[in-house]
């Protein structure tokens, strides 16, 4: 098992990574952020994407689907935003948020690596 | 909302905050003395009570700031099992108190509320001087 710091560092080694955050989506607060730089405030991204995840969770409830979100991909003109929900953490509700440079990233590989990081992450 | 309401811009800011951030139940602008200035609450707790609670939260926070030598009061968040009370400084003499339910995105509220407090500080200062006759 890996701690938050190690997991975030590992996520930043994914090819094309711009920034990563571990977010508690009951409050929108971050448990850790890395990268982002001047152009991207990862705390703002975390709070905003909390609303995205909540909207999707509500939609599933309204549709009556007894299912859960594994991940969400948002494709921008120049970036990929990958959101991966942490599975089986009891009542806690966390997601990993990863922003990637579209030109440099390999989406399939990035998704696979993020899945591995999520599985090993111990909050 | 009356067209002649001098606080229309302030009320609009509070309403916008409630609409933008899901989970916000109501907003209150109060003096640091705990007296209500104006509010944007639909139902729930009495605005005068929220104003008094905000002043109480501000009091202990300001004492902490002074004792720890961390400067003036900026904001305080109280999280209970069923909701939140967040209090922000509006200039030196007023407070913005926000009541939220347990589903409130508190990080989003902090991001949205900070520029609102800056604008409220400007709006309230201008209007106190203009609309009261005490400075004429």
């Amino acid at each position: 098992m890996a701690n938050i710091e190690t997991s975030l560092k590992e996520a930043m080694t994914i090819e094309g990574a711009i920034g990563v955050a571990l977010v508690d989506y009951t409050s929108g607060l971050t448990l850790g952020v890395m990268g982002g730089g001047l152009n991207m405030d990862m705390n703002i991204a975390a709070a905003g994407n909390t609303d995205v995840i909540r909207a999707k969770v509500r939609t599933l409830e309204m549709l009556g689907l007894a299912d859960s979100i594994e991940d969400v991909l948002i494709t921008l003109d120049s970036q990929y935003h990958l959101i991966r929900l942490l599975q089986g953490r009891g009542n806690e509700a966390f997601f990993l948020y990863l922003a990637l440079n579209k030109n440099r990233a390999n989406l399939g590989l990035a998704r696979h690596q993020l899945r591995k990081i999520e599985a090993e992450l111990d909050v | 909302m009356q067209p002649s309401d001098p606080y229309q811009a302030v009320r609009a800011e509070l309403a916008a905050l409630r609409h933008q951030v899901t989970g916000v139940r109501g907003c209150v602008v109060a003096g640091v003395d705990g007296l209500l200035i104006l509010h944007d609450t639909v139902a729930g707790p009495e605005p005068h009570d929220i104003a008094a609670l905000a002043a109480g939260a501000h009091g202990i926070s300001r004492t902490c700031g002074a004792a720890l030598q961390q400067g003036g009061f900026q904001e305080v968040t109280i999280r209970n099992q069923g909701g939140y009370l967040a209090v922000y400084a509006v200039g030196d003499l007023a407070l913005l108190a926000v009541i939220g339910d347990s589903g409130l995105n508190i990080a989003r509220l902090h991001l949205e509320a900070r520029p609102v407090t800056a604008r409220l500080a400007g709006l309230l200062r201008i209007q106190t001087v203009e609309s009261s006759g005490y400075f004429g």
Side-chain angles (χ1 to χ4, degrees):
Chain A
M1 296 307 268
N3 65 21
I4 295 171
E5 189 79 4
T6 314
S7 298
L8 294 178
K9 274 184 189 156
E10 207 178 326
M12 282 307 289
T13 65
I14 296 174
E15 188 63 30
I18 296 166
V20 63
L22 176 64
V23 188
D24 173 357
Y25 65 88
T26 58
S27 64
L29 296 167
T30 54
L31 281 76
V33 294
M34 211 165 275
L38 292 172
N39 300 322
M40 187 135 170
D41 186 326
M42 296 307 289
N43 290 306
I44 293 178
N49 282 290
T50 292
D51 287 343
V52 173
I53 293 299
R54 286 185 183 185
K56 191 64 203 172
V57 168
R58 259 201 314 279
T59 309
L60 294 183
E61 280 171 13
M62 286 192 293
L63 289 170
L65 288 175
D67 213 334
S68 57
I69 306 167
E70 185 186 331
D71 63 11
V72 176
L73 169 67
I74 296 164
T75 311
L76 311 185
D77 292 337
S78 67
Q79 294 179 7
Y80 291 123
H81 289 184
L82 206 49
I83 300 168
R84 183 161 200 96
L85 277 73
L86 271 63
Q87 308 296 335
R89 305 299 204 279
N91 289 328
E92 308 290 351
F94 303 119
F95 66 81
L96 271 168
Y97 171 74
L98 175 67
L100 295 161
N101 184 317
K102 203 169 162 184
N103 292 326
R104 290 180 49 211
N106 176 323
L107 188 56
L109 194 60
R111 196 163 167 261
H112 172 72
Q113 286 173 299
L114 197 61
R115 181 192 291 135
K116 246 179 71 186
I117 292 166
E118 182 264 310
E120 283 168 13
L121 172 56
D122 188 25
V123 180
Chain B
M1 194 183 291
Q2 297 161 5
S4 60
D5 183 358
Y7 294 113
Q8 195 173 349
V10 180
R11 286 183 208 281
E13 289 281 0
L14 300 187
L17 197 60
R18 183 159 52 80
H19 289 130
Q20 275 164 7
V21 186
T22 44
V24 171
R25 299 277 301 279
C27 307
V28 167
V29 179
V32 290
D33 56 3
L35 294 177
L36 182 68
I37 296 174
L38 47 83
H39 71 96
D40 173 72
T41 53
V42 185
E46 170 66 30
H48 289 280
D49 293 347
I50 302 171
L53 292 169
H58 164 258
I60 184 71
S61 306
R62 195 185 47 180
T63 307
C64 291
L68 301 173
Q69 295 183 320
Q70 292 178 346
F73 169 73
Q74 200 169 331
E75 63 189 49
V76 58
T77 307
I78 298 172
R79 184 179 184 176
N80 300 307
Q81 285 172 353
Y84 292 89
L85 170 65
V87 181
Y88 305 89
V90 178
D92 292 333
L93 293 173
L95 304 168
L96 168 66
V98 182
I99 299 277
D101 59 32
S102 58
L104 174 69
N105 183 341
I106 188 73
R108 175 90 194 276
L109 177 67
H110 287 331
L111 291 170
E112 302 278 356
R114 283 165 196 154
V116 170
T117 58
R119 288 197 293 273
L120 288 182
L123 286 167
L124 288 170
R125 187 168 303 124
I126 291 161
Q127 292 188 348
T128 345
V129 175
E130 278 179 359
S131 60
S132 71
Y134 300 122
F135 302 98

